[in-house]
Amino acid sequence: MSQTSSATTSTIALVVNGEARTFEGDPQTPLLWVLRDTLKLTGTKYSCGIGLCGACTVHMDGRPIRSCATAVSLVAGKKITTIEGLAPAGAEHPLQTAWKAHQVPQCGYCQSGQIMQAAALLATRPNATEAQIESYMDGILCRCGTYQRIRAAIKDAQAAGRQG
Amino acid sequence: MSSTMLSRRAFLGSAAATGAFVLGTRLVPVSVFSQDALAQGPWEPGVYLAILPDGLVRIIAHRSEMGTGIRTSLPLVVADELDADWARVTLVQALGDKKYGSQNTDGSCSIRDFYEPMRVAGATARTMLEQAAAKTWNVPVAEVAARNHAVVHGASGRSLGFGDLVATARTLPVPAAASLQFKKAEAYRYVGTPMPSVDLEAIVKGQAVYGADVERPGMLLASIVRPPVLGSTLTSLDDGAARKVAGVTDVVKLAEATAPFGFKPLGGVAVLGTSTWATLQGRKALNAQWSASPNASFDSATFRKTLVDVVHTPGRVVRTQGNVDATIGVGPTHEATYYTPMLAHAPMEPPMAVAEVTGGKAEIWTCTQNPQAVQDTVAQALGITPEDVTCHVTLLGGGFGRKSKPDYAAEAALLARQVGKPVKVVWTREDDLQFDFFHAPSAQYLKAAIGPDGLPTAWLQRTAFPPIGSTFDEKEQYGGGQVNMGFTDLPYPIANLRVENNPAPAHVRIGWLRSVAHIHHAFAVQSFTDELAALAKADRVEYLLRIIGQPRVIDLAAEGAKGVRANPQHPFDTARLRRVIELVAEKSDWAKKPAAPGRALGIAAHYSFFSYIAAVVEVEVNARGQVKIPRVDVAVDAGTIVSPDRVASQFEGAAVFGTSIALLSEITAREGRIDQTNFANYILARQDNAPKETHVHVVKSTAPPAGVGEPGVPVIMPAIANAIFAATGKRLRDLPMRKVPMNG
Ligand code: FES
Ligand code: FES
């Protein structure tokens, strides 16, 4: 991927939700602010800014990353998926279906991060146990306390996946 | 004024009776306008709803949505009374406007105060639609009835949709409130069913708009360095490096606030720029020096001792009956001192606000619990009138009381005026934790004389904490109404009882956090009760029922409490408290799960926001002293329930919130500065230490609706402490409990 640099400014090409995008600016800018301020993808949330809460979780080549603690220069040429691109337009991801069935969200602010983290788990370990779900999801804070519904929804989506 | 005019009249007697403040403004049709012109527009039979000629029903959500589901629940009440089809209802989030009555989404009062007004709004419109249909068909109104977005005439089978009736309905006089017929509870279609939140779809798709997500054309971002100690002022500033950061456009000094701090913006130095990252980088490059402040003497460890010492001295008596001094020395006694630390709200979305200021008018977009306070605070900061401030309310990424204090909106307004562009003020997590309106640190001292049956014959309790009042009057050191939150209203019939409040000065902004003073008072009282039960070697549930005594309605004034006003809608009935204790004991299998080393149940019961709550918490403490909570059972009597699933979710969340308070969270200060900076040192419950499962058991009730958002929290901390004692023999009287080794 192309990456031209001046002293403080670079042009960085990325693929976000399947679309080629470019960012011009400080290559140290966390991906979070590129998504939110530049690309106007505000589904990805800021809450701690230093990798402690998971509100900003997106996928890089399918792996969950904390976009607040990932410089945009590190994702040049990588495939980034945000909550807006988790399911094709007009469709929904099985987790989104399960999330609605369990009415998981309260304020909802942490939920993009919860769903993105859970989606990575579902994709890589579709039969994760309760304990594995708990430890995989431990990094994503929810001040409203929706944890038990999050686990219940993930288990539903696992079951739906086995049937489908 | 277009097709309608404002007319002031009393909205309804019952609205006033439920404490809903002024709801006096109704929009009524004006016959001077031509029928043609009127027919085009929406018909607004009140401030909370409109019906369009195409049949669409538009309902105003005037309270703030921070996760309780209130934006859905109150409109559902309107729709149900109206007999509208929810699929043909759209919601409009209200701007800040006094015509809606209080919009301060706080104090667990939305359903409590607005259930009746919403029923009235729906019933008024339905009645007028029925009258319109009867008039159209020339039949008695008693022969027609609203059914699912239409009015039907049973005898003839005729039916007209709501939209078809708008033209006639709008010509009719608004019926007197007293004449309205309400639906019977059995006839409700939505109230009492688990209807999903209207925001659910947008949230799971990442499309929901919070304060943080608002964007205006040409908007600048701003980040503010605030005075590190309350009351300190800027003495020198070098902003040369900050201004050189690419993307930084301005550095603006904001005047420091002086006491009383109230909701005033704190002041400091703002760095503005074209991206959030630029402002954060610019801010790091600032070199700001600050003056000393009297509050620099504040050290939370020293202050803990001050609080503990003061509750061992006589305080201001807020309730007294019998003669405690003469009786408390007789026979065996027990005494204990409790301490709870400062806490921060830490909503996942920090405070955020966008402002545009042009020509003496301000427009604000923000995550606020209280848009009318935004209007007032911004108006004061800018020297304009509240009517010149328009406040748009976004979704809130959590509130917990923080977002009813609109200092951040005033910051945005001041900056927007200064730079002549829209400005979004971004609070970092560090800002949020350091410049909160903190939950007060507190100490309680309790002492009881114990009779031969193990029950107290005399009881003395004292509490001290810097009061919320200090934020508005820095000299205030007494708790006022906060002492009545779970302390003055001790529900035990004890012949000799005295309740006292000791003074405590504030050094930071003190504010209300979900459950407010119930947090510390329930912890002390319900822990102490468990201690007495342990001394009596009694089953904790039985002891709790015995100490509450025979069912009675408590008349606090007759029982020696000063300045406590009874609420006739909500008498404090201990029969309801006993019932939730019995229910939670049954549902948790209390009797079948005796304590074992390292694993035990604990119980606590508490009355707050007019709701009766009892919780049983199961804890496991391993050899390394780590605490796990496999299960929580909560029994709830909150009167009439509108949205059972959202009620359950509030109590599930409260169990997690209470677990954070019990085990993990603490704000400390040295030299007046807050130590905590982010989630690494302000610790909140996560998947692994939150309760695994919380089961919520709701008592069916037709009593007036009571609070739901807050009452779930106070029981959790003492129930955990009591369970840990039963499992380990360790009595933990200081929060957070992680600071004491449980295996030592
Ligand atoms: S905002 Fe990225 S982990 Fe908290
Ligand atoms: S739903 Fe509010 S923070 Fe998780």
Side-chain angles (χ1 to χ4, degrees), chain B residues 592-671:
Chain B
K592 292 188 206 127
K593 292 183 177 170
R599 197 210 60 79
L601 306 187
I603 188 166
H606 190 73
Y607 172 72
S608 64
F609 306 93
F610 307 117
S611 286
Y612 303 80
I613 314 296
V616 168
V617 175
E618 180 178 15
V619 303
E620 281 171 13
V621 186
N622 70 15
R624 285 187 293 153
Q626 289 164 326
V627 177
K628 294 266 182 199
I629 302 177
R631 181 175 169 123
V632 174
D633 285 272
V634 191
V636 176
D637 179 353
T640 301
I641 296 296
V642 172
S643 193
D645 183 72
R646 292 298 86 190
V647 169
S649 70
Q650 281 303 296
F651 284 90
E652 292 161 15
V656 178
F657 203 91
T659 298
S660 293
I661 297 172
L663 299 177
L664 303 169
S665 308
E666 174 180 40
I667 291 286
T668 57
R670 275 173 297 182
E671 296 180 358

Side-chain angles (χ1 to χ4, degrees), chain B residues 170-336:
Chain B
R170 73 167 87 237
T171 65
L172 302 175
V174 178
S179 72
L180 295 173
Q181 301 276 325
F182 295 104
K183 268 189 170 179
K184 300 250 180 316
E186 314 81 82
Y188 280 136
R189 290 196 291 161
Y190 305 127
V191 171
T193 70
M195 294 289 289
S197 153
V198 292
D199 299 303
L200 186 56
E201 178 76 24
I203 287 171
V204 302
K205 297 278 169 68
Q207 306 292 351
V209 177
Y210 298 85
D213 303 329
V214 174
E215 165 128 7
R216 300 290 302 162
M219 181 180 86
L220 294 178
L221 287 302
S223 180
I224 302 174
V225 178
R226 298 176 184 80
V229 178
L230 191 64
S232 65
T233 53
L234 188 69
T235 53
S236 77
L237 174 68
D238 177 357
D239 60 9
R243 287 181 184 275
K244 286 202 192 86
V245 171
V248 168
T249 57
D250 304 88
V251 176
V252 175
K253 285 190 218 171
L254 293 170
E256 298 87 356
T258 52
F261 292 94
F263 298 152
K264 292 178 212 166
L266 285 171
V269 183
V271 177
L272 289 84
T274 52
S275 74
T276 310
W277 184 241
T279 69
L280 294 177
Q281 294 304 100
R283 173 182 173 172
K284 260 193 227 157
L286 283 181
N287 185 354
Q289 304 296 323
W290 305 90
S291 73
S293 150
N295 291 320
S297 66
F298 180 49
D299 176 292
S300 53
T302 311
F303 193 69
R304 177 193 183 287
K305 196 175 166 318
T306 306
L307 288 172
V308 167
D309 287 348
V310 78
V311 293
H312 284 85
T313 65
R316 184 187 273 181
V317 175
V318 295
R319 180 177 173 188
T320 183
Q321 58 189 3
N323 188 338
V324 166
D325 291 330
T327 49
I328 207 155
V330 183
T333 60
H334 181 62
E335 60 186 331

Side-chain angles (χ1 to χ4, degrees), chain A residues 32 45-57 66-69:
Chain A
L32 170 68
K45 300 303 187 198
Y46 164 82
S47 186
C48 75
I50 54 173
L52 297 172
C53 76
C56 63
T57 301
R66 308 291 181 246
S67 64
C68 72

Side-chain angles (χ1 to χ4, degrees), chain A residues 16-96:
Chain A
V16 181
N17 298 333
E19 277 180 53
R21 310 294 293 257
T22 48
F23 168 76
E24 252 174 75
D26 177 359
Q28 291 309 309
T29 305
L31 175 61
L32 170 68
W33 300 116
V34 175
L35 293 171
R36 290 183 55 83
D37 287 351
T38 312
L39 304 181
K40 314 296 180 200
L41 292 168
T42 55
T44 304
K45 300 303 187 198
Y46 164 82
S47 186
C48 75
I50 54 173
L52 297 172
C53 76
C56 63
T57 301
V58 300
H59 294 178
M60 179 175 77
D61 293 340
R63 281 189 303 112
I65 58 165
R66 308 291 181 246
S67 64
C68 72
T70 307
V72 63
S73 58
L74 296 176
V75 304
K78 310 273 196 212
K79 280 199 193 113
I80 301 299
T81 307
T82 70
I83 186 73
E84 292 92 342
L86 181 63
E92 72 187 16
H93 188 279
L95 283 170
Q96 289 167 323

Side-chain angles (χ1 to χ4, degrees), chain B residues 398-412:
Chain B
F400 313 115
R402 173 62 182 90
K403 292 175 181 168
S404 44
K405 304 159 183 99
D407 52 337
Y408 49 104
E411 290 175 342

